[in-house]
Amino acid sequence: METGIQHNTPHFHAYYQEEVGVFSINPVDIISGFIPKRQRRLVEAWAELHQEELLEDWKKLQQGKLPLPLEPLK
């Protein structure tokens, strides 16, 4: 995926050990990087539960504002 496209797409980064995955918010899908399959599914399920909040935080970041904290993945 091209870097410019990724940064124009609402997305978030997920970290697992040494791995980093970049996920689009709507639809929730990995768009670059790597997260092991089991952890990727957990991140996707978490993101679907918090999709509206993730989009609001994305909008805040685009306006130069700080995002609100979200409940972490447990």
Side-chain angles (χ1 to χ4, degrees):
M1 168 162 235
E2 296 177 30
T3 303
I5 294 171
Q6 174 183 321
H7 284 97
N8 290 329
T9 301
H11 68 277
F12 65 95
H13 299 229
Y15 301 87
Y16 178 74
Q17 296 179 350
E18 301 295 319
E19 306 294 346
V20 179
V22 179
F23 291 79
S24 59
I25 297 174
N26 192 8
V28 176
D29 194 20
I30 193 161
I31 54 177
S32 71
F34 173 80
I35 297 280
K37 187 175 183 176
R38 182 172 183 266
Q39 286 75 21
R40 187 181 76 229
R41 284 187 279 179
L42 290 170
V43 170
E44 291 168 344
W46 173 87
E48 287 178 9
L49 291 172
H50 297 280
Q51 197 169 33
E52 187 174 311
E53 296 161 279
L54 287 164
L55 285 170
E56 287 300 317
D57 277 351
W58 173 262
K59 290 175 188 174
K60 287 178 190 278
L61 288 167
Q62 299 309 298
Q63 298 168 356
K65 299 177 183 176
L66 292 175
L68 296 175
L70 299 179
E71 179 183 335
L73 179 62
K74 296 178 183 178

